[in-house]
């Protein structure tokens, strides 16, 4: 080989080396760089890694733990990953970081567009939850925005997959997302409720799940929104407790009986699956019929009685008894008790029946005048004492009133309790009997003769008597006559000397002293008598004058004069 050929061959070898170096450089330039997204085909799966062919005879490794069990790919599947570096086994890839990078872009776009994103509630934290959106930073979900209903147990939402609105993505230029699930749920509920109102009519049958109870019924979940099953719509009969008819979590069919789109109210019914018993009410029941039933409920104003399933009547407390004053219905009947009552009236449209217990028995007031005629003597027992009198039981449910003024002819009764006691047996006379007003009045003192009449007959004005001082007051002295009648000696009539003040005159007396008095006034009707000590002494003087004058006339033909009498009185 000559020099020229050697030079030519060397030139060709140099050109080949350069081409090889250039190709190698291009390969290195086109090879994925750390931090770059790559796409490849799964070629092998082991317990530790998923091997991915990313081209250029390179197989990247993705840790198997980055795949959820349900997301683990198969050989031949295409996956996206982020190149995070190299090791002795080849390029190291991360599907988790690739997803995070991709999700972050989606979340940023959703935040701008105000559209919901997918996430999983992963952890309970103070005042709320952490939500995994697939990005490197967990989002915060306030508990108040976590559900459309009140959350009783925060742990119940853990692991829940849902959609969320992004309320905030950055804080202080740092990724710090805050999400809202409640808003998404309420929009979903509104959509479903609107569809319900558009497609459902009154009378349609719908399915729902018993969600919760109140005192007036149960709320039924109709697919994210509620309808009300009122206690009155559970049965045509009496319903004491909603829980006796439906159970929480129970799926049931109901009739739609009311729709109010403006107020978003839906009323449901169970009882409308059967016929209204009021349709045939007038075929079975009539006013004045005596019927049997069961007491279902007691209130302050009466008792409810079920005549049959779906038909209930009210016995007002005023219709319990002809004679007894009933304060509490429970004192007369109890829930579950079988009773008889009379139909007093009804209103089919309102579903009401008025009943009476007392009408099933004879009214004792209809014949009361025959048994308790005015003037009849009766025996009774004191059942109640008031400030002005007492109530006397004459028979079961029949009480008469005894006024304090009718207890005694002679005593001034300030309080009946000073003379009477509860359960005391007494005799009395019927003074008044009014069957229409249900009123009877009796008197104790009328059992005996009126001593005031006898007193008025025995002691006329001008009579004198000896009595006993019973009390001393500022206005006079009370004196009791022998038959018990009490009269007043007014302070003006206590002394025969006008100049003697009352205080000085009354100081001579004490309670229990005997005192001679003159009768100055008698009124048997008003039970009033007036006495006078002054007039008594004047009468004594007049009697003595008459006596002396009479004696003088007998002895010396009237020569004895009034002046002689006064002179003798002075000397004596």
């Amino acid at each position: 080989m000559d020099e020229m050929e050697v030079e030519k061959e060397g030139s060709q070898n140099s050109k080949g080396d350069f081409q090889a170096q250039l190709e190698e450089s291009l390969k290195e330039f086109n090879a994925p760089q750390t931090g770059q997204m790559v796409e490849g085909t799964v070629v092998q799966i082991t317990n530790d890694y998923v091997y991915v062919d990313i081209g250029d005879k390179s197989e990247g490794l993705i840790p198997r733990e980055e795949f959820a069990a349900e997301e683990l790919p198969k050989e031949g599947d295409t996956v996206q990953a982020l190149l995070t570096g190299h090791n002795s086994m080849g390029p190291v890839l991360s599907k988790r970081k690739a997803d995070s990078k991709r999700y972050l872009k989606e979340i940023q776009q959703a935040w701008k567009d105000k559209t919901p994103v997918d996430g999983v509630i992963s952890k309970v934290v103070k005042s709320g939850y952490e939500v995994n959106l697939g990005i490197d930073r967990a989002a915060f979900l306030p508990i108040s925005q976590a559900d459309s209903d009140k959350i009783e147990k925060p742990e119940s939402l853990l692991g829940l997959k849902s959609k969320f609105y992004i309320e905030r993505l950055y804080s202080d230029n740092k990724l710090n997302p805050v999400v809202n699930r409640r808003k998404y749920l309420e929009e979903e509920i509104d959509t479903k409720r609107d569809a319900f109102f558009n497609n459902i009519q009154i009378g349609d049958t719908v399915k729902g799940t018993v969600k919760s109870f109140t005192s007036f019924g149960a709320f039924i979940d109709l697919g994210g929104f509620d309808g009300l099953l009122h206690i009155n719509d559970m049965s045509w009969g009496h319903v004491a407790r909603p829980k006796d008819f439906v159970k929480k979590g129970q799926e049931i069919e109901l009739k739609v009986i009311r729709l109010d789109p403006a107020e978003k109210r839906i009323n449901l019914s169970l009882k409308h699956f059967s016929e209204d018993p009021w349709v045939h009410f007038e075929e079975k029941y009539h006013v004045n019929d005596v019927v049997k039933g069961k007491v279902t409920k007691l209130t302050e104003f009466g008792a409810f009685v079920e005549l049959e399933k779906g038909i209930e009547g009210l016995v007002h407390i005023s219709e319990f008894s002809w004679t007894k004053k009933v304060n509490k219905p429970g004192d007369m009947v109890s829930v579950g008790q079988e009773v008889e009552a009379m139909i007093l009236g009804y209103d089919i449209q309102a579903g009401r029946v008025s009943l009476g217990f007392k009408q099933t028995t004879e009214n004792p007031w209809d014949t009361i005048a025959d048994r308790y005629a005015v003037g009849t003597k009766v025996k009774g027992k004191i059942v109640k004492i008031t400030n002005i009198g007492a109530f006397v039981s004459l028979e079961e449910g029949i009480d008469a009133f005894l006024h304090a003024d009718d207890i005694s002819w002679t005593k001034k009764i300030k309080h009946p309790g000073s003379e009477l006691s509860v359960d005391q047996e007494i005799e009395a006379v019927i003074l008044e009997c009014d069957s229409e007003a249900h009123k009877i009045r009796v008197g104790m003192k009328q059992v005996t003769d009126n001593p005031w009449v006898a007193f008025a007959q025995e002691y006329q004005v001008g009579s004198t008597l000896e009595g006993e001082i019973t009390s001393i007051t500022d206005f006079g002295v009370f004196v009791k006559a022998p038959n018990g009648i009490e009269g007043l000696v007014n302070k003006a009539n206590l002394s025969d000397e006008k100049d003697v003040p009352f205080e000085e005159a009354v100081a001579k007396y004490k309670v229990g002293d005997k005192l001679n008095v003159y009768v100055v006034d008698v009124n048997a009707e008003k039970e009033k008598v007036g006495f006078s000590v002054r007039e008594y002494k004047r009468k004594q003087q007049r009697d003595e004058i008459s006596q002396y004058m009479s004696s003088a006339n007998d002895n010396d033909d009237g020569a004895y004069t009034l002046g002689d009498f006064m002179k003798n009185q002075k000397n004596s």
Side-chain angles (χ1 to χ4, degrees):
M1 179 182 300
D2 57 18
E3 291 183 1
M4 183 174 265
E5 288 177 341
V6 171
E7 184 178 348
K8 184 179 180 180
E9 184 178 351
S11 176
Q12 289 177 345
N13 289 338
S14 296
K15 187 177 181 181
D17 291 340
F18 175 77
Q19 185 68 33
Q21 289 177 0
L22 179 60
E23 291 178 359
E24 187 66 29
S25 296
L26 288 173
K27 287 181 181 179
E28 291 180 0
F29 180 78
N30 292 326
Q33 304 297 311
T34 300
Q36 185 178 340
M37 294 285 289
V38 297
E39 185 175 86
T41 303
V42 177
V43 294
Q44 185 182 1
I45 300 173
T46 67
N47 291 334
D48 298 320
Y49 295 102
V50 173
Y51 291 87
V52 180
D53 182 1
I54 58 174
D56 195 32
K57 300 180 182 180
S58 295
E59 290 183 3
L61 296 81
I62 303 176
R64 181 169 174 159
E65 63 185 18
E66 292 196 6
F67 293 92
E70 66 273 12
E71 296 177 345
L72 188 66
K74 300 185 295 293
E75 291 184 9
D77 287 350
T78 300
V79 296
Q80 284 187 334
L82 185 73
L83 179 61
T84 60
H86 296 76
N87 61 18
S88 58
M89 299 175 63
V92 178
L93 306 176
S94 173
K95 176 183 179 299
R96 186 177 296 163
K97 290 184 178 182
D99 289 342
S100 177
K101 195 171 184 179
R102 185 174 69 255
Y103 292 157
L104 181 57
K105 289 182 179 180
E106 294 175 359
I107 289 170
Q108 288 173 327
Q109 192 61 46
W111 179 43
K112 293 178 182 178
D113 297 341
K114 296 183 179 180
T115 57
V117 297
D118 293 318
V120 178
I121 298 177
S122 58
K123 184 179 180 181
V124 177
V125 296
K126 183 179 180 181
S127 302
Y129 301 90
E130 283 188 1
V131 177
N132 183 3
L133 301 178
I135 59 179
D136 291 337
R137 181 65 184 269
F140 175 65
L141 171 64
I143 195 167
S144 60
Q145 306 302 323
D147 203 359
S148 56
D149 292 324
K150 183 179 179 180
I151 299 172
E152 300 293 341
K153 296 180 179 179
E155 295 79 8
S156 63
L157 297 185
L158 287 178
L160 179 67
K161 293 182 179 180
S162 181
K163 288 187 177 293
F164 304 83
Y165 276 103
I166 308 296
E167 295 285 340
R168 186 185 75 196
L169 192 56
Y170 295 97
S171 176
D172 296 329
N173 295 321
K174 294 181 181 180
L175 186 64
N176 192 17
V178 177
V179 295
N180 186 333
R181 178 172 178 261
R182 178 177 178 174
K183 181 179 178 182
Y184 170 77
L185 293 177
E186 289 178 345
E187 288 181 355
E188 288 290 294
I189 290 171
D190 286 341
T191 300
K192 292 179 180 179
R193 186 188 288 113
D194 291 343
F196 185 93
F197 281 115
N198 290 332
N199 299 321
I200 299 298
Q201 297 180 345
I202 292 175
D204 286 354
T205 299
V206 296
K207 286 185 178 181
T209 303
V210 180
K211 179 180 177 181
S212 61
F213 292 98
T214 70
S215 59
F216 53 82
F219 286 104
I220 310 299
D221 184 353
L222 298 174
F225 57 95
D226 295 343
L228 174 64
L229 173 59
H230 197 277
I231 192 170
N232 294 334
D233 296 315
M234 290 183 173
S235 171
W236 293 111
H238 177 74
V239 180
R241 299 192 318 154
K243 292 181 181 180
D244 293 337
F245 282 80
V246 292
K247 307 298 180 185
K248 189 173 182 179
Q250 178 185 359
E251 187 177 16
I252 53 176
E253 287 190 341
L254 305 109
K255 286 277 187 181
V256 178
I257 59 173
R258 184 184 174 215
L259 292 171
D260 187 345
E263 296 294 331
K264 298 181 180 181
R265 291 178 181 174
I266 302 167
N267 285 75
L268 308 168
S269 173
L270 278 174
K271 72 181 185 182
H272 283 82
F273 283 111
S274 59
E275 186 178 36
D276 184 352
W278 287 92
V279 172
H280 305 290
F281 179 87
E282 290 185 313
E283 298 174 11
K284 301 179 182 180
Y285 304 102
H286 309 89
V287 173
N288 296 329
D289 283 355
V290 175
V291 293
K292 292 183 178 180
K294 181 186 292 185
V295 178
T296 56
K297 182 181 179 182
L298 298 177
T299 68
E300 292 181 358
F301 52 84
F304 287 92
V305 177
E306 185 180 62
L307 306 184
E308 64 176 76
K309 188 173 182 179
I311 297 180
E312 208 171 54
L314 171 65
V315 183
H316 192 270
I317 196 169
S318 62
E319 307 295 345
F320 272 51
S321 173
W322 292 113
T323 56
K324 292 182 179 179
K325 182 180 179 181
V326 181
N327 295 317
K328 294 192 303 181
D331 295 338
M332 301 290 289
V333 294
S334 57
V335 173
Q337 181 180 343
E338 297 284 345
V339 294
E340 280 192 344
M342 179 179 285
I343 296 177
L344 307 180
Y346 59 84
D347 183 343
I348 292 178
Q349 290 297 109
R352 295 175 182 169
V353 184
S354 296
L355 303 172
F357 286 148
K358 67 185 184 183
Q359 288 79 4
T360 61
T361 61
E362 182 182 359
N363 184 356
W365 288 97
D366 290 342
T367 57
I368 201 80
D370 298 333
R371 288 177 286 126
Y372 298 105
V374 173
T376 304
K377 285 187 177 181
V378 294
K379 290 184 178 181
K381 181 185 289 186
I382 304 295
V383 292
K384 184 179 179 181
I385 297 174
T386 70
N387 291 332
I388 60 171
F391 288 93
V392 182
S393 175
L394 303 181
E395 62 179 68
E396 178 68 25
I398 303 293
D399 292 345
F401 183 66
L402 170 63
H403 196 278
D405 293 342
D406 293 314
I407 294 176
S408 172
W409 289 113
T410 58
K411 293 181 180 180
K412 299 298 181 182
I413 310 297
K414 293 183 178 180
H415 193 284
S418 63
E419 301 293 323
L420 305 171
S421 60
V422 174
D423 292 334
Q424 178 183 344
E425 298 279 352
I426 65 165
E427 275 191 333
V429 172
I430 302 296
L431 304 180
E432 180 186 0
C433 184
D434 188 339
S435 59
E436 291 185 3
H438 293 187
K439 178 182 177 182
I440 299 177
R441 189 166 60 87
V442 296
M444 281 179 65
K445 68 184 184 182
Q446 288 80 2
V447 174
T448 60
D449 292 335
N450 186 349
W452 286 93
V453 175
F455 183 89
Q457 292 173 350
E458 183 177 356
Y459 298 101
Q460 302 294 320
V461 173
S463 303
T464 61
L465 58 88
E466 183 184 57
E468 180 182 328
I469 297 175
T470 57
S471 64
I472 299 173
T473 69
D474 294 338
F475 52 85
V477 174
F478 283 95
V479 177
K480 183 169 67 176
N483 65 347
I485 295 297
E486 215 172 47
L488 173 66
V489 180
N490 190 283
K491 66 179 183 178
N493 294 320
L494 189 60
S495 175
D496 59 339
E497 298 180 21
K498 294 183 178 180
D499 296 336
V500 177
F502 171 69
E503 290 77 9
E504 183 180 331
V506 80
K508 300 177 182 179
Y509 304 105
K510 63 180 183 296
V511 173
D513 285 353
K514 298 295 184 179
L515 186 64
N516 290 309
V517 294
Y518 180 94
V519 179
V520 294
D521 182 36
V522 178
N523 190 327
E525 291 184 1
K526 293 183 178 181
E527 299 181 0
K528 182 180 179 182
V529 61
F531 296 139
S532 174
V533 173
R534 184 178 66 181
E535 292 299 326
Y536 175 80
K537 290 183 178 181
R538 287 181 178 180
K539 183 177 185 304
Q540 275 188 314
Q541 290 176 354
R542 290 194 298 271
D543 290 345
E544 288 179 7
I545 291 173
S546 296
Q547 182 180 355
Y548 279 109
M549 292 292 288
S550 176
S551 299
N553 288 335
D554 291 341
N555 294 332
D556 50 17
D557 298 325
Y560 192 83
T561 65
L562 178 60
D564 295 331
F565 171 76
M566 296 300 293
K567 184 178 180 180
N568 288 336
Q569 286 290 102
K570 185 176 181 181
N571 292 334
S572 63

